[in-house]
Structure formats: C-alpha cells, structure tokens
Amino acid sequence: MRRQRSDEFNRPEGYNSRLLEGPTPMQASYHPQKIEREAQAHWQKTEAARALEAAGKPKYYCLSMFPYPSGKLHMGHVRNYTIGDVLARYHRMRGFNVMQPMGWDAFGLPAENAAMANGVPPAKWTYDNIAYMKKQLQSLGFAIDWNRELATCKPDYYRWNQWFFLRLLEKGIVYKKTGTVNWDPVDQTVLANEQVIDGRGWRTGALVEKREIPMYYMRITQYADELLEALDTLPGWPERVRTMQANWIGKSVGVEIAFPYDPAIGMEGALKVFTTRADTLMGATYCAVAAEHPLATLASKNNPALLAFVDECKRGSVMEADIATQEKKGMATGLHVVHPLTGEKLPVWVANYVLMSYGEGAVMAVPAHDERDFEFANKYSLPYKTVIKSKDGAYEKVEAPWQATYAEHGVTVDSGDFSGLEFQQAVDAIASALEKKGLGRKRVQYRLRDWGISRQRYWGTPIPIIHCASCGDVPVPDDQLPVVLPEDCVPDGSGNPLNKREDFLACECPSCGKAARRETDTMDTFVDSSWYFLRFACADNQQAMVDQRVEYWLPVDQYIGGIEHAILHLLYSRFWTKAMRDCGLLELDEPFANLLTQGMVLNESFFRKTEAGRIQYFNPSEIELKLDDKGNRAGAVLRADGQAVESGGIGTMSKSKNNGVDPQGLIEEFGADTARFFMMFTSPPEQTLLWSDEGVEGSFRFLKRVWSFAAQWHGKLQGLNSTFSENAKAESDVVALRREVHGVLKQASVDIEKHQFNTVASAAMKLLNALQDAGAKAGENASPAMLRALNEGLGILVRVLYPITPHIAHALWRELEFGEDLIDAPWPLVDPRALESDEVEMVLQVNGKLRGQLVVPKTADKGQIEALALASDVVLKYTNGLPPKKVIVVPGRLVNIVV
RNA sequence: GCCCGGAUGGCGAAACAGGUAGACGCAAGGGACUUAAAAUCCCUCGGCCGUAAGGCCAUGCCGGUUCGAUUCCGGCUCCGGGCACCA
C-alpha cells in the first residue's frame, strides 16, 4: 500500500520566518522529514536528553528493557521505546530530573546462529547490528542519554559479571553441581530448548537425549522467602506479575515423610517424600519416584525391562511443558518401602510424571485424593483407599470416574487414631506422630529451583575459573580480570569453539603456577540483564562495578517491557540486586519501583498449502483483502498472482509466519511522529496491539490536520497572549470552546497519569476537532476573545501531543511563538473556571431503561431533582400518574424510577 | 498438563467508583471539489421491526446478586503469555 507524497514545499532554501518582522506565514503543509530532522538536530545540539545528578528536583529514572541487537528494530521495540519516551518526556514536563538510558543485551544464541549461516564472527555481526539499530532509535526521536550507552558483550561490562561471580562463589551463593541438558548425539553438542523441535535436534534431526553435566548454579532459593515477601512492597507492579512470581516461587507448607526401606532392599535408609496433604497419608497405597532417582537406578541394575523404561524416561527434552503433557507411564521397581505409621508394605514405582527437580524426586501416592495418582492407579490397577470424607456429603467413597471434589479438604475417615479430623488438625496430628518416630517433620518447600548459569556456548561472558590438574577448580584472581572472550571465533554448530582455541585455553594455575586450562563455559545471558539497570548510573566507572550515583538514580522509577519477561528476567534481577546488597555493594532492596508490562504487537498471517503439503507464508504487505459490499471481509489474495490465500489467524509478528512489518519503511514514509502516534493511539499499552496499515494512515492524516490548522490560524495567533485571568463572561462560543478544551484536558491529565496513552491520543483528536469547529464557526472575523481561546487551545493541544509526537509539537511551539524550547514547558493546567456551569444534564430512567434527559439547576438537591423528574412528560407516560414504587437519584448522573 | 491474562459494532477501542454501551479513530456507503485521479471537506454508519414517532435485542456462553451489571459473584468456551538453555 503506497501513499503518494504531497507536493514539495516550494519556498526558497533557508527560508526562516523567525528572521522576519511580525507575524509571518508558516509552511502550509506537514513535512515530517524536515521537521523531524530539525528537531532532532536541535535536541542533539542542546544535549537535551543528557541526565546529570542534580539536587533540588525529584529524579525519574525511566527505563525500557534493552534490546537484543538482532539486526533491526521490530514493532515491539518501537512500541516499548515509545511508551518509555512518552513517560520520560511527560515527567520532564512535570518537573522531574529525568534519565532515560539505552544499551544492548548483546550476548546470545542468535549471533552464533547468524555466524553459522553467514560465516561472520558473532562479534562483528553484533556490532554491525548495534550501529544500525542505534540509528533507527535516533530517527524515532527518543530522548535517550547516549552518554550512558553500554553493550554487555564488551569487556568493560562483562568483567563485572566475572568479578561478582567470584564474590558470590566466595559467599557460597555460587556453587557447582550437575544439571540436565539437551544433548544432540550427532553434533555432540548441548542444545537450547529452542533448538529442540519435536524431540529432535534442529540441525541434525537426531533424537535428543538428556545428559548430566557439571554446571555452576546461583543459590536463588536462599532468597526465595524474601523474593516472595517483598512482592508486597511493590504496589507499582501489575497484580498479575506479582501473582505469577509468587506462583513461580511456589512456597508450600507441608510435611516431609520418610518411608523406611523394606528389608528386602538390602540396605538401610528411607525414601523421602514431601507432601502438602499429610492428612491423606493413611490413604497412601504406593510410592513413585523419578527415573533419575537412586532407587530407580538401584532397581534397574538387575531388571532389563525396568532399565529400558528408565532409559526411555531419560530420553526427550528437558522442557517442563513436554514432560507435563506426555502420557503418564510407570513401571514397578519390585522394591517396597514401609508405611511409616501402619507398617504396611507399599510398592515403589518409577513414574515419568515425577520430577527429580522438585522436592525429593519422589512422591507418596494417594489415588483416592489426587487426580494424577488416581489416573495412574487406574491405569496400572493399583488399589485406592478413601481416607477423606467431604464435609457437605458430596461423596462417601471414592469411585471412578474422578470428581474434583475428591481432592478437596474434608474430614479424615478410616484413618485409625487420626480419624474424624479436619485438614489442619489431621496434618498436625500426623506430623507430630511422624516426628516422634523420627520419620517426618513439617517443612517448607519451594517450587523455585537454583539458577543454572553455565552455558556450553561461545558468545557469552567467560566463567572466570581455571582448571588445574593438581589444585582443581581455581578462581581467576581479581587482578587478572577480565577474562577476555576472543572476538574472532566463528562457531560451526559442533560444540563450543573456545575448546579449539589454544590461546584462550592455555593459562597458568593461579595457585601453583603450573600449566592449566580455562573453563570454556560462558554465563547465561540473563546474568548480563540482571544488573544493567545499575550500570547505567555509572557506565563510565572503570574502577568499580557500581558507585554512589547508583544510590541517586535507583530504584528505576518506571520500568517498561514485554509481559513475556514477567517471571525470569524480573525475578533474576530482583535476586541479583539483593545479592549485591548483601555483598555491601548497594543499599537497594528492590530494583524496579514501578513496572509497566506492554502487550505484544500482533499481525495477521497468510499462507497457502503447496502441492507437497507444506505451508508457505506470505508477508501481509503482499496481500490484498477482498471486501463485500457491506465492507466485511470476503477473502484475501496474493497481489502478485491474484489467487486466494488463507488466513493463518492473528499472532505475534514472527519470522516463521512471515507476518512482520519493518518499522523502517513506516518511519521513512510517514515519519517518526506518525509511527509513535499510531503505537500509542491504537491500543492501551498493556494490551496486545493489532497492526493495521490503515490505522497508520489515519494517524498521519491527523498530524497533517494539526499542522494545517496551525498554519491556517498562524497569522492571527502567533505570539498572542492567551491568558483568561478576568473570567471573560462574554461570548457563548468562547465559553463553550473553553469548556470543551479544559474538559478534555482534565480527562487527558488523568489518563496520562494512568498510562492510558490511547485516550490521551484521542484527547488530542478531540481538542483539534473542537478547535476546528470553533474556528470554522468564527471564521475570518473571529473576535479577540475567540482568537485568544483558539490560541490557548492550540497551546494545550501542542503540549498534550508533545510526549507522543515531540517533533511536530516542537516545531509548532516555535512557529506559534509559545516559547523557545518546548522540552522544558510544563504540562498544561486545567482552568477550573472554564468548566463551571449553572445546569447539569441528567439521565432519566424508568425501570433501569433510558427514557429521556433532564436538565436541572446545578444547585438542585435530591428532592428537587425527584420532583422535576416525576413531573416530566416522559415519566408521566410510564407511570400513568400512579406513584412510583421507588425513585433512585444519583446527583449529577441519573434518576431511575421504578414502577 | 500447570500458572497468569484477555474476549465490547465490519476492525482498533472508550465507558471516572455498579449508573446514558460504542467516545476517538479505521474501514465501508453516499455527496462536494477536480478534465481525471490523489489529497481535502461534508453526511450516514451495532442488529432487527417500523413511513415515522418509537420499540425490541445487544459487551464470548450459561446462571446469580442489584432499582440498575461491560463492571461484582459462580460455572464454562475460545484465544494469548510463561513453564527455568530464545531473549
């Protein structure tokens, strides 16, 4: 969809109205490229976005999640950074000392993939992308302080990852243990979850295996309780994000129970399980363990069938979603454990639904009162025993089919000494009985697991460890930091290229001085993003990770990013901040005071099935929609051949569905202000945003109208004083215009505080509509009072627009001589006198249905309003003169008459 | 599978605290201007019935609370995000 450009402005080069005397005409039509170039040059020259620590003003640290430099900006970035810029510019208008920095989350897997595809080192690819994307960000006019720019792939950043890793190692927060990874047996390499497709390696197609390898972990579980409790100190976070984090941490209070081994096992010991339903212990009929559990290993030694099953469980991906949706399978081990209270022998099964990473890797199974156990028991004909009775008599005995009520809390039955107890009493009694026997205790269990940070990949922060044959794993001494990553490697997909770099590998053991080898694993990129927001405060400090300026700027006053980061990134950042605090580096408890989670940008996708049955996607820019005569969708065709295509529905913009829209084309065609306005106008920030070419054109049309209106009235309004100090009672048109303008402004001022930018953009449209109507009505001979009202309204419009579309606002502010530089102008104030009125219009309802309107004096009380309402024709028609049953009066709003 | 959201005209949405459903736009239809097109401007625009006045229905579905429910409660359906190695 191409738009024809309007005729070029035909004034001589260098024309400048401001050099001439008196009111002068301004450029008649809107030329975003010229306006935006000039505004950006002005901001750059005046260092408008430079942020310095300053006393006397409240600080406002406005941060958008930094981008991964994937090549070029996508629409999600444009949306994210526009929201950030609106907030940054608005808060500056409100008198805050604003800092809005930007950086690059520059390590990561895509650079290695690009390297494999093009043979370019990840470093070069990354730096090229950064240069291009920085230009794009600048062309969008974001008020970013580029003096603070950082990239996580540079040694002066990641050296502090290494330095702090060593501090945490000293404190025991970092430790080493084995972890499970996806292993591609053909490429002999570890795969990311993303690289596993339907259980196979993405490049080799080989069936992926699980493999245990040594890794470094961060003990985030040590902070589980604080991370959970402190969610209550974050009222500026969306409720849903706090809920998601709380559930992720997953604190449960329960009982750890030991089932002693049956003597036939031939060794001392007990199977430990954790349960939140100790009240159902008397109904346990078997125990189930994960395939990786030591008992499973033991039992499979002399049992080939079981060994085969255990091996089968160990195949496949490590992703929880895969594990949780797979068919539930199990096999008996032939081993037994002893019920800790009844002494009964219970069989031990291996089950693929038991996770080694949660609790003890084993569960007690109570089929009567747990749905998964119930299904499993039915499948393998294991017995079940009803030990809970529902309080409302919903059931007496558990029988197939399963009912949700079986799993609810109730009263214990058939439980020996523990019968007839309610949930908490039963748990307490059973826990203390177990404790007396030394076979159990109450304890807290978290779902949260420690954070494995080792990655068997090249493009990341090297883990600063040296492996010495005699001294073991030795930390790199601080004075040898940073361990610099060579930037000229080209990965080929078969393992980490660092393993082939003798110049990187070879080193001396810091402890004994003998030849040693460097660790080649690198850190998870979530490490990089867990503290970059601190570094922006002091990015130039080469001596320390953080300094006093962090105490000035932090916490981040407003953090903005995608909802997809609601758990991992935000939780790791919170943990990291607390860990730094506990190392004495910060005073801060929580890094982000307020959080705005922006919705995703969606677009429709279009495809055809090829003869081979494959699906071929076409970019929406190549598609033409067919409409019927009512304007409803009647199909879509590919423009190239006119043949029909099918809709693949609406989804996030992605490469695989070829439904992305490149912001660059949008900026070049319509300008940054149109792109920004569209992004803000189309959806509220937290909701998904559906892309629409037509919507963009509507936004462009609006900005053109703003410009033409200003140009049309420019000669009469330029430099006019528009104060209304002596309440001008005069003309009703002036009063009406000012009431409208200030009414809209009042709402816009509320909306922008609520971050509801779509209605702020609407408000700008309403303001223009009101000004245009009033201007057209007044015409050539507009009174001085009307001119002042128009001037006032235009000044308000320009300032309401400014955070969203700063370039056009900047230009108009100067053209109309409101001031030199809009960037420091205050947000407009509502004049309450403009809103005053003697009458109120109220709604008249009969039986809750709208039947008419009622105009009453502002001073009327409830009784008077009721009398007026009952006397009205509309009401008489429905009451037939009979007295109403009930009358509800909501002053200023409505009267409802019930008959 | 588990956790968290969302659903309002042909489309994006709005509705302050339970009080006029659809503000503001987009698309569409009609018209003006133009040699023509583009641009611009004006009018109509949830559905059904009715010449009109007006009436009825309508905020994913089913039910509840209330004088009154898009808003609160219970139960569903569908769509989206996350699930620990994409970032």
Side-chain angles (χ1 to χ4, degrees):
Chain A
M1 210 163 289
R2 301 302 299 178
R3 160 176 299 274
Q4 212 170 348
R5 296 245 166 72
S6 40
D7 294 340
E8 248 324 300
F9 170 59
N10 56 3
R11 286 191 197 285
E13 276 294 309
Y15 173 85
N16 184 345
S17 67
R18 310 187 57 77
L19 298 174
L20 303 174
E21 292 263 321
T24 51
M26 62 182 256
Q27 189 174 319
S29 54
Y30 175 47
H31 296 284
Q33 279 72 17
K34 179 174 183 290
I35 290 169
E36 291 176 6
R37 214 183 309 120
E38 287 174 359
Q40 286 165 17
H42 171 80
W43 294 326
Q44 198 170 6
K45 197 180 76 196
T46 56
E47 293 201 294
R50 184 78 187 263
L52 296 169
E53 299 72 35
K57 266 183 171 185
K59 62 92 184 175
Y60 185 79
Y61 180 2
C62 184
L63 181 68
S64 294
M65 289 181 185
F66 65 166
Y68 177 78
S70 55
K72 48 193 184 183
L73 293 186
H74 55 68
M75 285 298 173
H77 293 130
V78 177
R79 190 178 194 196
N80 197 156
Y81 304 137
T82 301
I83 294 169
D85 202 47
V86 168
L87 286 163
R89 289 182 185 268
Y90 169 69
H91 280 85
R92 182 153 177 179
M93 294 179 101
R94 298 298 306 267
F96 287 86
N97 183 32
V98 173
M99 167 165 76
Q100 183 175 224
M102 185 55 72
W104 309 95
D105 188 12
F107 275 138
L109 197 54
E112 297 194 29
N113 295 339
M116 281 184 250
N118 313 318
V120 184
K124 180 176 170 21
W125 183 83
T126 303
Y127 291 129
D128 287 352
N129 290 347
I130 288 175
Y132 183 74
M133 290 170 75
K134 183 173 177 180
K135 262 195 189 157
Q136 287 191 300
L137 288 174
Q138 287 170 328
S139 75
L140 280 159
F142 299 135
I144 288 164
D145 183 358
W146 288 104
N147 294 296
R148 297 170 185 268
E149 181 179 2
L150 59 81
T152 58
C153 63
K154 295 206 171 146
D156 65 355
Y157 183 82
Y158 67 68
R159 69 174 298 175
W160 302 111
N161 287 348
Q162 297 172 339
W163 181 82
F164 192 59
F165 172 92
L166 295 172
R167 300 292 82 75
L168 293 182
L169 188 66
E170 288 161 5
K171 287 194 68 142
I173 302 281
V174 162
Y175 67 99
K176 200 176 184 184
K177 70 164 185 183
T178 59
T180 316
V181 294
N182 301 305
W183 180 255
D184 185 321
V186 173
D187 261 351
Q188 293 282 298
T189 194
V190 175
L191 297 178
N193 284 336
E194 189 190 50
Q195 297 170 318
V196 179
I197 295 156
D198 297 329
R200 291 169 183 275
W202 66 332
R203 281 153 51 83
T204 63
L207 278 173
V208 167
E209 299 166 6
K210 292 192 187 106
R211 182 169 274 216
E212 300 281 317
I213 57 167
M215 303 211 295
Y216 285 95
Y217 281 83
M218 290 200 183
R219 221 180 279 282
I220 190 174
T221 51
Q222 191 169 311
Y223 286 83
D225 232 354
E226 192 191 345
L227 288 167
L228 181 66
E229 295 298 319
L231 288 172
D232 291 337
T233 68
L234 298 172
W237 282 39
E239 184 70 41
R240 63 165 155 162
V241 175
R242 287 187 283 157
T243 308
M244 280 191 263
Q245 291 216 346
N247 290 338
W248 185 263
I249 295 167
K251 180 177 184 171
S252 39
V253 181
V255 180
E256 184 183 284
I257 303 176
F259 289 73
Y261 291 160
D262 178 63
I265 292 183
M267 59 194 261
E268 290 283 302
L271 179 66
K272 268 192 196 168
V273 306
F274 175 83
T275 179
T276 56
R277 291 299 305 271
D279 60 317
T280 64
L281 174 59
M282 302 306 274
T285 54
Y286 66 99
C287 286
V289 300
E292 297 85 356
H293 194 276
L295 269 193
T297 314
L298 177 75
S300 57
K301 261 186 198 150
N302 303 312
N303 184 341
L306 184 65
L307 184 65
F309 177 68
V310 165
D311 284 346
E312 185 194 323
C313 290
K314 287 181 181 172
R315 274 199 286 275
S317 88
V318 299
M319 290 167 73
E320 194 191 309
D322 290 344
I323 295 164
T325 49
Q326 71 196 355
E327 192 196 344
K328 286 173 195 55
K329 282 188 192 167
M331 190 176 271
T333 58
L335 306 179
H336 291 79
V337 291
V338 178
H339 192 289
L341 296 180
T342 65
E344 200 182 338
K345 275 213 287 185
L346 302 181
V348 177
W349 283 63
V350 176
N352 67 352
Y353 69 85
V354 180
L355 299 178
M356 195 57 213
S357 52
Y358 181 75
E360 305 289 340
V363 297
M364 69 172 200
V366 184
H369 303 289
D370 179 277
E371 186 171 5
R372 267 190 324 194
D373 296 346
F374 183 86
E375 272 176 35
F376 193 85
N378 274 335
K379 180 167 179 178
Y380 294 106
S381 306
L382 291 158
Y384 42 94
K385 190 180 160 201
T386 307
V387 290
I388 300 291
K389 189 178 73 178
S390 91
K391 281 194 229 170
D392 54 12
Y395 67 94
E396 277 299 318
K397 196 169 184 327
V398 170
E399 290 170 330
W402 174 259
Q403 292 177 36
T405 175
Y406 295 160
E408 285 164 12
H409 290 179
V411 179
T412 50
V413 291
D414 285 335
S415 299
D417 295 347
F418 307 102
S419 297
L421 302 177
E422 300 219 359
F423 172 75
Q424 197 55 54
Q425 296 172 308
V427 170
D428 293 346
I430 287 173
S432 72
L434 288 168
E435 195 147 7
K436 267 182 210 147
K437 294 184 140 190
L439 292 175
R441 63 188 175 100
K442 280 197 187 171
R443 84 170 163 84
V444 167
Q445 171 71 39
Y446 296 94
R447 206 188 73 96
L448 182 69
R449 307 200 296 257
D450 278 340
W451 174 17
I453 59 148
S454 294
R455 297 292 179 270
Q456 297 68 45
R457 266 182 262 295
Y458 155 64
W459 191 232
T461 302
I463 291 178
I465 293 288
I466 289 168
H467 301 291
C468 171
S470 23
C471 309
D473 296 351
V474 183
V476 174
D478 286 358
D479 61 10
Q480 290 176 27
L481 295 182
V483 176
V484 176
L485 185 73
E487 291 198 344
D488 53 356
C489 288
V490 182
D492 60 6
S494 63
N496 186 343
L498 287 177
N499 288 318
K500 297 168 198 153
R501 287 290 294 247
E502 198 52 37
D503 58 338
F504 178 81
L505 288 166
C507 59
E508 269 179 15
C509 172
S511 175
C512 67
K514 281 190 231 154
R517 311 295 273 175
R518 274 188 203 286
E519 170 68 55
T520 56
D521 278 3
T522 54
M523 294 186 200
D524 180 5
T525 55
F526 275 123
V527 168
D528 308 327
S529 55
S530 288
W531 70 282
Y532 76 105
F533 42 88
L534 304 173
R535 188 67 183 170
F536 277 134
C538 56
D540 56 0
N541 191 334
Q542 298 302 312
Q543 313 307 318
M545 185 176 186
V546 288
D547 62 34
Q548 272 307 305
R549 289 173 290 176
V550 171
E551 301 302 332
Y552 174 81
W553 287 111
L554 274 285
V556 172
D557 294 281
Q558 184 66 60
Y559 197 33
I560 306 130
I563 182 67
E564 67 274 20
H565 297 290
I567 294 173
L568 292 179
H569 161 60
L570 290 167
L571 194 63
Y572 291 144
S573 298
R574 295 180 60 219
F575 156 69
W576 192 281
T577 301
K578 291 174 193 298
M580 280 183 74
R581 176 200 63 194
D582 292 347
C583 288
L585 296 165
L586 297 173
E587 282 171 32
L588 193 67
D589 291 315
E590 286 288 338
F592 312 119
N594 295 289
L595 174 68
L596 190 156
T597 48
Q598 129 221 5
M600 319 265 292
V601 180
L602 311 180
N603 200 7
E604 189 164 4
S605 61
F606 297 94
F607 70 91
R608 268 185 205 155
K609 278 205 178 122
T610 62
E611 280 164 24
R614 296 195 71 136
I615 287 180
Q616 185 188 5
Y617 282 98
F618 300 96
N619 193 272
S621 61
E622 306 166 51
I623 302 296
E624 195 173 314
L625 298 179
K626 295 287 174 195
L627 302 178
D628 65 19
D629 28 312
K630 278 191 167 175
N632 298 340
R633 171 80 79 82
V637 297
L638 184 67
R639 212 171 284 126
D641 61 14
Q643 301 297 304
V645 290
E646 282 183 68
S647 171
I650 305 225
T652 53
M653 288 189 176
S654 72
K655 253 184 206 164
S656 61
K657 291 204 164 175
N658 189 14
N659 62 344
V661 177
D662 184 0
Q664 198 56 34
L666 175 66
I667 298 164
E668 282 166 15
E669 193 168 353
F670 300 103
D673 280 342
T674 293
R676 296 170 57 125
F677 190 88
F678 169 74
M679 284 289 167
M680 293 303 97
F681 175 65
T682 300
S683 280
E686 308 226 331
Q687 273 182 41
T688 55
L689 181 148
L690 181 59
W691 180 258
S692 150
D693 284 331
E694 293 78 16
V696 172
E697 298 198 31
S699 299
F700 183 61
R701 205 146 48 217
F702 166 68
L703 294 179
K704 279 198 291 190
R705 279 175 57 212
V706 172
W707 187 274
S708 327
F709 178 77
Q712 184 194 341
W713 288 89
H714 177 259
K716 288 191 160 128
L717 301 185
Q718 189 186 38
L720 209 63
N721 179 328
S722 59
T723 47
F724 281 82
S725 46
E726 77 308 347
N727 196 7
K729 273 224 179 310
E731 303 144 48
S732 60
D733 287 351
V734 172
V735 172
L737 174 60
R738 294 197 72 229
R739 178 176 300 143
E740 175 75 12
V741 164
H742 285 273
V744 172
L745 172 60
K746 189 177 175 188
Q747 188 61 48
S749 305
V750 171
D751 290 349
I752 198 164
E753 282 290 335
K754 287 196 304 189
H755 304 161
Q756 192 173 299
F757 306 124
N758 56 326
T759 50
V760 176
S762 292
M765 290 175 154
K766 287 177 188 174
L767 287 172
L768 180 64
N769 289 346
L771 292 170
Q772 277 192 325
D773 290 350
K777 195 170 170 198
E780 272 303 295
N781 302 315
S783 70
M786 179 52 89
L787 289 177
R788 281 192 296 138
L790 288 172
N791 194 53
E792 180 196 32
L794 200 48
I796 289 171
L797 170 60
V798 167
R799 280 176 290 168
V800 167
L801 272 177
Y802 169 72
I804 301 174
T805 57
H807 307 89
I808 189 175
H810 169 85
L812 290 176
W813 190 253
R814 298 184 130 199
E815 289 283 4
L816 292 157
E817 294 186 1
F818 285 113
E820 195 49 40
D821 197 344
L822 177 50
I823 199 161
D824 286 315
W827 181 257
L829 286 174
V830 175
D831 180 356
R833 287 167 312 174
L835 300 174
E836 282 169 10
S837 168
D838 298 336
E839 292 178 325
V840 216
E841 188 175 278
M842 291 179 65
V843 163
L844 214 45
Q845 293 185 337
V846 179
N847 293 332
K849 289 202 174 186
L850 175 69
R851 296 300 176 189
Q853 264 79 28
L854 186 69
V855 176
V856 301
K858 195 182 157 194
T859 52
D861 62 22
K862 276 194 174 189
Q864 291 168 314
I865 294 169
E866 184 174 334
L868 282 166
L870 288 173
S872 73
D873 293 347
V874 202
V875 173
L876 288 173
K877 183 175 146 197
Y878 286 91
T879 55
N880 294 321
L882 296 166
K885 260 194 201 156
K886 193 171 178 181
V887 179
I888 291 118
V889 179
V890 184
R893 284 222 174 256
L894 59 73
V895 184
N896 186 19
I897 292 162
V898 187
V899 295

